[in-house]
Amino acid sequence: MTTSFGTATSTVIRTDPKIPVQTFTGLKSSHSIALTRNLRVFPVPFFSTSLIRAVSTPVKPETTTTEPKRSKVEIFKEQSNFIRYPLNEEILTDTPNINEAATQLIKFHGSYQQYNRDERGTRSYSFMLRTKNPAGKVPNQLYLTMDYLADQFGIGTLRLTTRQTFQLHGVLKKNLKTVMSTIIKNMGSTLGACGDLNRNVLAPSAPLMTKEYLFAQETADNIAALLTPQSGFYYDVWVDGERFMTSEPPEVVKARNDNSQGTNFPDSPEPIYGTQFLPRKFKIAVTVPTDNSVDILTNDIGVVVISDENGEPQGFNIYVGGGMGRTHRLETTFPRLGEPLGYVPKGDILYAIKAIVATQRDHGRRDDRKYSRMKYLISSWGIEKFRNVVEQYYGKKFKPFHELPEWEFKSYLGWHEQGDGALFCGLHIDNGRIGGKMKKTLREVIEKYNLNVRITPNQNLILCDIRSAWRRPITTVLAQASLLHPRYVDSLNLTAMACPAFPLCPLAITEAERGIPDILKRVRAVFEKVGLKYNESVVIRITGCPNGCARPYMAELGLVGDGPNSYQIWLGGTPNQTRLARSFMNKVKVQDLEKVFEPLFYYWKRKRQPKESFGDFTTRMGFEKLLELVDKWEGPVQAPARYNLKPFADKETYEAMDELAKLQNKSAHQLAMEVIRNFVVAQQGKSE
């Protein structure tokens, strides 16, 4: 099959604002049949550059000499022979790094080129590998393999991500093929974990044996299979073309091959993606009603299982248009929550997903990658137009969205019954970083008991399929490695997340993972200072840049790196991750955080309504008032000394007792009660 780029014509919008918008006729298969679907141009008030529409199924070319503007990455993809060249040559050279084009292409294979930013002088390059684990499921064999690879070829640690995958840092270029092939041969894959295609599909990680949960996890597997690249580039590069693919459900194969609505590239090795794949990354999550362990509203597509009164899955609600990434000081970029698209019967979900992906593929911007996520397409068109276009690819009308109960954040930490006689144990892992004694202990337990594991979207780990008799010995061994029951972990840590940031992430502006332990301790100290109880908590998320990998824009308190040792502070998210936070302050130096935290937490303690969360409090109070409180803050108001006159004859006696008490680090009242008790005991002894 050959493909060629269509041409573009410039169309001036006659309604305000008057912005020139290009209509792109797209990627054209030499064997495809033209559709009658028309492309329309709509105003995009926040876009200042031309739009590119990449349409896989061809429309009649228009005569013009104007070439559509495309980002450099689009050209790399076009010239890559389906994501092979020049990566296949670059990994064989003696240099420690790869060239610019290969650096972009290796992302599709699940890897990023990095260097240690703590070091000065010559850059020490290495590669981060990310696995693909739909629903966070990790077979025993794969976990043990990743543990081994981290020691042999990485930096000795494993990182659990916010999208239920592993990240393996520090792999040298000369070892890439060995590491990749080892993962592939041990039930794993990194294909599509990064790059302009569907990323890892999230689903609740709890191994609960209910119809809803099993169906959600099965759906995540099927969506992941549907949107997996088909052209074989991954296996050609890393295992010399040998395939290690498991058999696919027939409904997945049928949905992928169906072109009744013109969604596919006919005769292409990539029937859904074509040569250009998607404009940017694409994220999907599946869950069941109430369970928001997956941050459902932050995804390009959010899928919710809808069941009947007997618990039998009947279909799905679909959200579209979520996404976290933004750019500092560029208000036309923003985090966005998904919004309802509609409902589909369970047999139609793969076709509906494919229709949404095809809409983004054909109409998402390819000129400026800052605006290439689907959230910007929906913000530009509006949900009604987006729904209408998707329905053309779907071939049906979406049914009305089903009403849903309130969402809850579920961590699944601690011990739980699976429902099949076995137990599972959710372990809190600070920032998802597994290393040292913890790593050694986990390997011993997982290997000894032959356990499968699951990774949660909150960077934690679940040990599955545990027999009741194993609970006590496993608990004892884990505790010795500081893997404790959640009741023994600070509640601030239980919901906190941070991205890796320095030293290896090339996008980091300031610290996140390395900085969050100290920041959480400082928040706890502020809690104590203003009188908040130990069991009270807020959702805190920290990222080293505005791209939002740890989803800080959903936190009650989000810290987003905006300069060296400096953070932008976001407030107003909810504990169940259903409302976007908003930017509250910029350029707050890390050493000055208490100047903001103290007044906020002090007034939350004193002015909150019953059971009002910190996020709800900051939203209700309003940022103008909160900024005023921060600006005028001089420290907590000290309550006047209260003289309990019952044990004291007069003020002078109280003051004398107070001086003595201070020498013993006690209050005057405590010392007085102690003296009185001792006196009573002594008198009782005399009377006997």
Side-chain angles (χ1 to χ4, degrees), residues 30-146:
S30 60
H31 302 291
S32 58
I33 302 172
L35 295 182
T36 59
R37 184 187 301 120
N38 294 320
L39 295 178
R40 300 176 183 176
V41 179
F42 280 71
V44 189
F46 53 85
F47 291 163
S48 59
T49 56
S50 59
L51 291 178
I52 303 294
R53 314 265 196 249
V55 182
S56 64
T57 46
V59 296
K60 185 177 179 180
E62 301 174 32
T63 304
T64 180
T65 58
T66 305
E67 287 294 325
K69 180 183 175 184
R70 292 185 291 155
S71 71
K72 186 183 293 187
V73 176
E74 291 298 314
I75 297 171
F76 291 153
K77 288 186 286 186
E78 179 191 11
Q79 298 174 348
S80 70
N81 185 23
F82 291 97
I83 319 300
R84 291 174 174 84
Y85 175 82
L87 176 63
N88 54 351
E89 296 180 357
E90 284 289 306
I91 62 172
L92 301 177
T93 66
D94 293 332
T95 60
N97 62 312
I98 55 180
N99 67 19
E100 183 183 6
T103 298
Q104 292 298 327
L105 298 180
I106 200 171
K107 296 177 184 179
F108 292 76
H109 297 253
S111 180
Y112 284 91
Q113 179 171 270
Q114 301 179 330
Y115 65 92
N116 190 332
R117 297 175 64 188
D118 282 346
E119 297 176 359
R120 295 294 177 262
T122 304
R123 291 182 176 181
S124 54
Y125 286 98
S126 66
F127 291 80
M128 179 273 284
L129 275 62
R130 183 185 295 155
T131 59
K132 200 88 171 282
N133 309 92
K137 291 184 286 188
V138 181
N140 175 273
Q141 179 180 338
L142 178 58
Y143 184 92
L144 298 177
T145 298
M146 296 302 296

Side-chain angles (χ1 to χ4, degrees), residues 133-135 137 201 216-226 249 252 286:
N133 309 92
K137 291 184 286 188
V201 181
Q217 291 156 5
E218 177 189 341
T219 301
D221 286 334
N222 288 345
I223 292 172
L226 172 74
V252 172
V286 184

Side-chain angles (χ1 to χ4, degrees), residues 430-444:
D430 276 336
N431 307 304
R433 183 69 66 180
I434 299 176
K437 186 176 182 181
M438 177 197 299
K439 180 173 174 293
K440 182 175 182 290
T441 300
L442 282 172
R443 180 185 179 91
E444 291 172 353

Side-chain angles (χ1 to χ4, degrees), residues 29 177 234 259 267 273 340 349 385 495 536 598 608 624:
S29 165
K177 195 162 186 176
Y234 181 65
N259 197 30
D267 305 319
Y273 290 127
I349 185 59
K385 173 177 169 57
T495 56
E536 296 190 87
E598 277 190 17
R608 59 185 169 180
E624 184 177 349

